[in-house]
Amino acid sequence: MVTIREMELHGRVGVVTGGGVRVGRSIALGLASAGADVFIHYNRSADPAEETAAMARDLGARAVVGSVDLSDPSRAGDLIDLATEQLGPPSILVNSASGFPTDTIGDVTLGDWRRTFDLTLASPVFATQAFANALEDDVEGAVVNITDVRTHSPYREHFSYIVAKGGIDTFTRAAALQLGPRIRVNAVALGVILPPPGEGDAYATRLAEELPLAKVGGTEPVVAAVLSLLENDFVTGEIVRVDGGGHLV
Ligand SMILES: NC(=O)c1ccc[n+]([C@@H]2O[C@H](COP(=O)([O-])OP(=O)(O)OC[C@H]3O[C@@H](n4cnc5c(N)ncnc54)[C@H](OP(=O)(O)O)[C@@H]3O)[C@@H](O)[C@H]2O)c1
């Protein structure tokens, strides 16, 4: 018989940024299904965040919501304070909140660039710093960053976003190096998972036609990858692609 050594998620406190909607919601519910208590962060989606918390409670978890505007990275540590006040110190952090602005190297302004980097790169960095500082002695922690498989084959029209996500990839490796052995830091790189906000299913289905696995991912395979990275205690600095093989074409 093979004994698998893994980090037990049951009874832990997890923080999920952007946990009220779409990918973040699924990750929050995945954590709740695995027995963790969840702090569901939101910015504008107060009602969907409350709905997510109710769904997590139905799964048996303690679940609370809290709003932080992560366009200001100096507030990222508030996530950890709010979670700690309501649920106790977190030992899991999933950085999923992000913008998805449309710009190119030709038209991006310095202001746009800074806004994208503050939300999509600086806030995950400073949330992770606060998480590491607050982690209780003798507790192992794990961070999963949500990145984009297109950091290796950049979009033509989401320039500042994909450069910031490239920063998330490097941040994942640098933080894994610096925060070990107590904290593991990994990432999941998403491909065609859901149509972007405002686009219908046909948009994603059209993109998926090009993929080796010829389908839209949906959020379940993302949740499976996040849980696996959280549980596997000999993996750090890894970036797992969940993209239907999209990186091959
Ligand atoms: N969907 C895909 O197929 C796909 C593909 C590649 C990568 N990804 C990555 O996967 C993650 C989730 O994607 P998604 O499509 O589910 O995201 P989404 O629908 O675009 O939602 C963005 C999330 O970020 C939060 N957010 C936006 N601005 C914020 C701010 N100023 N402060 C705090 N939070 C803010 C939103 O919170 P509120 O709604 O509460 O405002 C929301 O939860 C992102 O990191 C994205 O880059 C997704």
Side-chain angles (χ1 to χ4, degrees):
M1 177 175 145
V2 179
T3 305
I4 298 177
R5 194 184 57 180
E6 57 182 32
M7 188 175 100
E8 175 62 65
L9 303 186
H10 193 272
R12 287 177 177 273
V13 173
V15 172
V16 182
T17 72
V21 294
R22 288 165 50 91
V23 173
R25 167 182 280 195
S26 296
I27 294 169
L29 295 177
L31 280 176
S33 301
D37 297 326
V38 278
F39 177 84
I40 296 156
H41 156 266
Y42 68 94
N43 183 40
R44 295 201 175 134
S45 301
D47 290 345
E50 291 287 2
E51 275 170 33
T52 310
M55 292 160 83
R57 286 192 285 269
D58 285 346
L59 292 166
R62 292 190 302 152
V64 297
V65 305
S67 180
V68 180
D69 182 355
L70 294 175
S71 63
D72 177 359
S74 73
R75 293 203 53 208
D78 294 358
L79 286 168
I80 307 303
D81 294 341
L82 288 169
T84 304
E85 280 162 22
Q86 298 179 80
L87 294 175
S91 58
I92 292 169
L93 171 63
V94 180
N95 286 306
S96 180
S98 170
F100 190 50
T102 298
D103 55 33
T104 67
I105 195 169
D107 64 21
V108 69
T109 66
L110 184 55
D112 295 339
W113 175 267
R114 285 182 171 150
R115 272 187 288 280
T116 306
F117 269 63
D118 278 351
L119 172 59
T120 300
L121 179 56
S123 277
V125 168
F126 286 97
T128 302
Q129 183 189 66
F131 170 82
N133 289 340
L135 190 68
E136 291 179 305
D137 290 344
D138 303 325
V139 174
E140 57 180 338
V143 177
V144 175
N145 297 317
I146 304 300
T147 183
D148 192 311
V149 75
R150 296 293 296 272
T151 57
H152 290 280
S153 52
Y155 304 101
R156 289 181 185 274
E157 290 170 349
H158 302 286
F159 173 70
S160 60
Y161 161 84
I162 206 62
V163 179
K165 286 293 196 186
I168 287 285
D169 296 358
T170 304
F171 159 57
T172 298
R173 291 187 282 265
L177 186 67
Q178 294 181 27
L179 294 177
R182 219 152 63 90
I183 301 176
R184 292 176 293 105
V185 184
N186 292 291
V188 179
L190 277 52
V192 184
I193 297 300
L194 295 175
E199 299 284 354
D201 288 346
Y203 179 92
T205 306
R206 204 166 50 246
L207 292 178
E209 282 167 9
E210 309 296 323
L211 305 177
L213 296 184
K215 60 184 177 189
V216 178
T219 58
E220 288 84 355
V222 177
V223 176
V226 170
L227 295 182
S228 155
L229 287 171
L230 290 172
E231 286 172 336
N232 192 322
D233 74 359
F234 199 53
V235 176
T236 196
E238 190 56 82
I239 301 175
V240 172
R241 297 182 190 105
V242 176
D243 72 338
H247 64 284
L248 301 171
V249 295

